[in-house]
Amino acid sequence: MATVARLQLLQLHPHPKLLKPCFLSPRIKFKLPNFCFSSSSRSFSAFRCLSSNTDQIRQNSSHNEKDGSIVGDLLNYLNESWTQFHATAEAKRQLLAAGFHLLNENEEWELKPGGRYFFTRNMSSLVAFSIGENYNTGNGFHIIAAHTDSPCLKLKPISASSKPGYLMLNVQTYGGGLWHTWFDRDLSVAGRVIVRSDDGSFIQRLVKINRPLLRIPTLAIHLNRTVNQDGFKPNLETQLVPLLSTRCEEELPESKEQGPTKSSKAWHHPQLLEVLSEELDCCVDDIVGSDSIQGAGAPTMFQAMRRIVSCLAGENVGEGTVERAIRQSFLVSADMAHGVHPNFMDKHEENHRPQMQKGLVIKHNANQRYATSGVTAFLFKEVAKIHNLPTQEFVVRNDMGCGSTIGPILAAGVGIRTVDCGIPQLSMHSVREICGKEDVDTAYKLFKAFYKTFSSVDRKLSVDEFFH
């Protein structure tokens, strides 16, 4: 079987080692799909310049390194994290280097106070946690959660397609992308494949092709005269199809096999499989298999919390130990936020227009598209206030739809207090997104402050006691 497993398209930029240079997300240190546990230029120096050049960003922010800026580290991490699998692999590498112990979900755990541990699931989801030296059974979890994935184009199980003179790749749209931004850009392929080894066993391999392979060309203005008046509205099934190469009829005879019964070797173009085999240093025939991923809706977090409590409690598990731990826990859902767009200010409610470089945004929605409540917002802002860190508020206009994130999914599934927050950005879900580097450092400082200060703040607030 020659099925490519979970390969997706990525945009390449003129700098060959740079992907998504302006995608500065608040997924600090460990970029997770679900959770992480823990008990200027010379002429215009007065302005902050927008840039898509990694080297320039690093140069402009180098003076902040002494102050502990993490922007350079974040860019390095993002450049490694082409897909959710690569993001997880890089987080795994960093955790091991930091002294965390890798756990296996299929084996018994031996956890100790003061220990630092992590595990991966499906190599697309990662849970890392540290245990306080003074841990007591029933203590709560302080959690920061974020995504490893982002909107992209994924190859269909049968990706091979051809039209007169061209070889094409059939793709699926994943997530709510701004798909018109994917046109007329150099694209490549990255993801996970399953490879047959010499002894007949199967191993997982990550692959990323660091050179342009594909392009989705737009139609010439001469053939689409009204596009600037009517807007660019491509059909996502028939017009969002990447070109792989021009076709040489003599070298690529048309297969007579059709439909689901055709040979698996014809599911993907030989040129694509050849590129993958070269990158993986294996034979084309050794590339097999397909996989599914684990998302925020999976019970991974709750299962991990239960195992941690049970392991540390030993035989001293009392009534409602796990439930009491959850009741005392708090989740920071760290996604991104809609910064006010200077050309579309009317898209924001006038009193809730988050600005870049002005701090982390706390997101509210009465219909719980975000999981923030009045209590959780207060607690999180109190932590920020103690450490003199700025926060902003966002609520969507009543005449517009509201996005969502993993916060409500996890909050409803586990019953944990949650605040949804994020760095303000422009061009959200575009192939290239923008945010401010000061906001990255502010988010990092606030997340650290959350781990250090939240317990003392939480102890001062009583919500469910009866007052006369």
Side-chain angles (χ1 to χ4, degrees):
M1 194 172 167
T3 302
V4 181
R6 294 296 172 191
L7 285 175
Q8 61 193 56
L9 276 59
L10 282 301
Q11 179 200 6
L12 289 181
H13 298 282
H15 302 277
K17 294 185 178 180
L18 177 63
L19 271 103
K20 287 196 170 181
C22 283
F23 181 34
L24 307 183
S25 80
R27 302 156 194 178
I28 307 303
K29 283 291 186 181
F30 315 129
K31 192 178 180 186
L32 316 176
N34 296 340
F35 17 81
C36 178
F37 295 158
S38 178
S39 275
S40 120
S41 71
R42 288 179 294 177
S43 302
F44 303 98
S45 58
F47 298 91
R48 296 183 177 94
C49 299
L50 297 177
S51 172
S52 62
N53 185 313
T54 293
D55 295 333
Q56 181 178 339
I57 292 174
R58 287 200 183 103
Q59 182 179 359
N60 290 344
S61 62
S62 61
H63 66 281
N64 288 332
E65 295 301 326
K66 294 181 181 179
D67 299 327
S69 175
I70 65 157
V71 173
D73 291 337
L74 178 59
L75 287 172
N76 290 335
Y77 177 76
L78 290 174
N79 286 336
E80 293 296 326
S81 304
W82 290 30
T83 70
Q84 64 269 39
F85 307 113
H86 293 86
T88 302
E90 177 61 15
K92 176 181 177 180
R93 185 193 67 78
Q94 292 191 21
L95 286 166
L96 290 172
F100 278 68
H101 177 71
L102 177 61
L103 299 172
N104 187 329
E105 284 197 278
N106 297 322
E107 299 174 354
E108 290 188 11
W109 292 358
E110 294 183 8
L111 308 179
K112 299 179 180 179
R116 297 185 293 175
Y117 310 91
F118 76 99
F119 67 86
T120 66
R121 181 177 291 188
N122 190 52
M123 203 55 198
S124 62
S125 173
L126 184 149
V127 176
F129 59 95
S130 61
I131 304 169
E133 294 279 0
N134 299 320
Y135 172 84
N136 290 316
T137 301
N139 283 3
F141 294 85
H142 298 163
I143 308 168
I144 296 178
H147 298 272
T148 55
D149 58 349
S150 58
C152 64
L153 301 177
K154 294 194 175 187
L155 298 184
K156 291 182 178 180
I158 301 176
S159 71
S161 176
S162 63
K163 296 181 181 179
Y166 297 99
L167 297 182
M168 324 279 285
L169 292 183
N170 290 319
V171 296
Q172 304 175 76
T173 56
Y174 175 78
L178 289 175
W179 303 118
H180 66 276
T181 65
W182 286 71
F183 283 73
D184 294 333
R185 296 185 181 273
D186 291 334
L187 304 174
S188 193
V189 175
R192 172 172 69 178
V193 300
I194 307 299
V195 179
R196 181 189 295 110
S197 61
D198 293 338
D199 62 4
S201 61
F202 302 102
I203 58 175
Q204 168 185 279
R205 298 282 300 277
L206 299 185
V207 62
K208 52 184 178 181
I209 310 301
N210 196 14
R211 65 182 186 274
L213 293 179
L214 306 154
R215 181 171 279 256
I216 310 173
T218 49
L219 185 62
I221 185 67
H222 314 84
L223 305 177
N224 192 12
R225 288 290 188 180
T226 64
V227 64
N228 291 325
Q229 291 76 40
D230 299 339
F232 182 45
K233 303 174 183 178
N235 183 289
L236 300 185
E237 176 65 25
T238 62
Q239 297 169 343
L240 191 69
V241 185
L243 277 61
L244 177 63
S245 70
T246 54
R247 179 179 181 134
C248 299
E249 297 292 343
E250 314 80 46
E251 300 175 8
L252 299 171
E254 183 74 36
S255 172
K256 295 183 180 180
E257 299 178 275
Q258 301 294 330
T261 61
K262 67 180 179 179
S263 169
S264 60
K265 291 184 179 180
W267 289 3
H268 307 284
H269 286 305
Q271 290 90 336
L272 175 60
L273 294 175
E274 187 65 31
V275 169
L276 294 175
S277 66
E278 290 176 1
E279 189 72 20
L280 295 166
D281 192 24
C282 70
C283 297
V284 169
D285 289 340
D286 290 334
I287 303 174
V288 300
S290 62
D291 264 47
S292 61
I293 61 174
Q294 304 300 312
T300 312
M301 185 175 78
F302 179 75
Q303 292 170 352
M305 294 169 72
R306 180 176 290 278
R307 289 192 67 173
I308 293 168
V309 171
S310 299
C311 184
L312 292 170
E315 298 179 356
N316 299 318
V317 178
E319 184 277 327
T321 300
V322 175
E323 289 73 17
R324 285 187 284 116
I326 294 174
R327 180 66 185 87
Q328 298 183 67
S329 298
F330 194 94
L331 168 67
V332 177
S333 171
D335 201 337
M336 298 296 282
H338 296 285
V340 63
H341 195 301
N343 298 330
F344 300 91
M345 294 184 65
D346 60 326
K347 296 296 184 181
H348 277 70
E349 197 276 332
E350 61 179 352
N351 295 315
H352 299 85
R353 292 173 171 170
Q355 301 179 48
M356 295 203 308
Q357 317 286 24
K358 296 294 185 179
L360 206 63
V361 179
I362 298 175
K363 303 185 291 186
H364 305 259
N365 184 260
N367 296 303
Q368 287 292 284
R369 298 290 290 173
Y370 303 127
T372 306
S373 70
V375 171
T376 61
F378 166 78
L379 290 169
F380 195 63
K381 287 189 290 186
E382 192 67 16
V383 171
K385 180 180 178 180
I386 291 172
H387 294 267
N388 197 30
L389 295 169
T391 60
Q392 306 180 77
E393 309 282 349
F394 172 77
V395 62
V396 74
R397 290 170 55 110
N398 288 329
D399 56 358
M400 295 183 65
C402 183
S404 190
T405 183
I406 65 175
I409 300 173
L410 294 174
V414 182
I416 186 173
R417 295 176 297 170
T418 301
V419 64
D420 266 298
C421 66
I423 292 176
Q425 71 171 170
L426 302 179
S427 305
M428 184 181 289
H429 287 198
S430 168
V431 77
R432 303 182 74 175
E433 302 170 292
I434 306 172
C435 79
K437 71 181 186 64
E438 282 88 349
D439 290 327
V440 173
D441 287 322
T442 296
Y444 178 61
K445 292 173 183 177
L446 184 46
F447 294 158
K448 289 181 66 176
F450 165 69
Y451 284 133
K452 292 180 179 180
T453 312
F454 180 79
S455 292
S456 60
V457 173
D458 193 31
R459 284 195 292 266
K460 298 177 181 179
L461 178 66
S462 297
V463 174
D464 292 312
E465 294 182 5
F466 179 76
F467 294 95
H468 294 285

